[in-house]
């Protein structure tokens, strides 16, 4: 029998402290202790997708608003953060269900979707129509625009409203911690 995934979406402001603590614990386990406080902070302030299996929280993903510069435009970007599924529940479609919920939000509210993909997640994103960015990446820092070449092959985009030059420059707004 196939697992039944229920996905709920809610803004950070609508999640109580207990739920946020449960989500953080889930992500700490999913990322095997490699989720820094700034990574968690990056996942807050937007819409969350929460995957439940038989009433148990088994997955999380969120989308937050950022600005990305491309081809002389500042694009309102739905940036995906904190995508994780409990290791005992992987391979059952929870990640797909989480991304479907976020993609609905992105297509309805943003010019562009973007994310930084781990090696393990690239197949998930590529299979859903996310495109690996082919051009150089940068960050708009307090000291000006800085090249982020270590991120070049991990940035994925979901075009929504505007045509993109996939070989052009992509510049993300500044934030502490990982900028992409």
């Amino acid at each position: 029998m196939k697992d039944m995934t229920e996905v709920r979406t809610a803004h950070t402001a609508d999640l109580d402290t207990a739920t946020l603590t449960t989500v953080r614990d889930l992500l700490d386990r999913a990322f095997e202790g490699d989720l820094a406080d700034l990574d968690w902070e990056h996942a807050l302030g937007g819409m969350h997708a929460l995957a439940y299996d038989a009433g148990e929280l088994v997955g999380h993903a969120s989308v937050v608003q950022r600005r990305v510069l491309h081809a002389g435009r500042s694009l309102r970007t739905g940036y995906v953060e904190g995508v994780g599924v409990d290791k005992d529940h992987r391979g059952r479609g929870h990640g797909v269900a989480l991304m479907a919920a976020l993609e609905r939000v992105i297509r309805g509210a943003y010019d562009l979707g973007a994310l930084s993909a781990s090696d393990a997640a690239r197949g998930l994103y590529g299979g859903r129509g996310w495109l690996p960015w082919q051009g150089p990446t940068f960050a708009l820092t307090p000291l000006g625009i800085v090249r982020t070449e270590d991120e070049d092959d991990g940035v994925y985009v979901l075009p929504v409203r505007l045509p993109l030059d996939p070989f052009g420059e992509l510049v993300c707004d500044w934030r502490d911690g990982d900028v992409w």
Side-chain angles (χ1 to χ4, degrees):
M1 182 174 169
K2 185 167 174 58
D3 291 318
M4 296 300 296
T5 301
E6 176 188 2
V7 176
R8 301 176 195 160
T9 57
H11 192 276
T12 301
D14 296 322
L15 298 175
D16 60 26
T17 302
T19 301
L20 289 171
T21 299
T22 301
V23 170
R24 174 67 193 258
D25 291 344
L26 167 78
L27 291 177
D28 281 335
R29 289 189 314 274
F31 285 92
E32 298 176 350
D34 194 26
L35 183 80
D37 288 342
L38 285 173
D39 297 328
W40 171 240
E41 183 180 306
H42 294 165
L44 301 174
M47 293 297 293
H48 298 260
L50 306 169
Y52 293 87
D53 186 352
E56 175 188 3
L57 180 68
V58 297
H60 169 273
S62 65
V63 61
V64 297
Q65 182 172 310
R66 296 189 68 188
R67 286 288 175 174
V68 170
L69 306 175
H70 176 67
R73 297 180 309 238
S74 175
L75 303 176
R76 191 178 61 253
T77 302
Y79 199 83
V80 175
E81 292 284 0
V83 180
V85 174
D86 183 88
K87 68 178 183 165
D88 294 334
H89 292 84
R90 292 180 184 159
R92 300 181 189 177
H94 301 304
V96 169
L98 290 166
M99 289 307 296
L102 293 188
E103 290 160 2
R104 181 187 63 77
V105 172
I106 290 167
R107 286 188 175 100
Y110 296 101
D111 299 323
L112 173 71
L115 58 83
S116 179
S118 67
D119 291 340
R122 291 176 190 204
L124 168 66
Y125 302 130
R128 299 201 50 77
W130 289 76
L131 306 173
W133 191 254
Q134 301 298 310
T137 60
F138 300 83
L140 179 57
T141 77
L143 301 176
I145 295 177
V146 174
R147 183 83 165 86
T148 57
E149 62 189 40
D150 290 347
E151 303 295 331
D152 282 356
D153 61 349
V155 174
Y156 279 64
V157 298
L158 182 67
V160 176
R161 300 193 199 314
L162 303 170
L164 301 173
D165 171 6
F167 297 98
E169 294 179 355
L170 204 61
V171 182
C172 67
D173 56 0
W174 174 251
R175 64 184 185 179
D176 290 329
D178 293 330
V179 292
W180 282 104

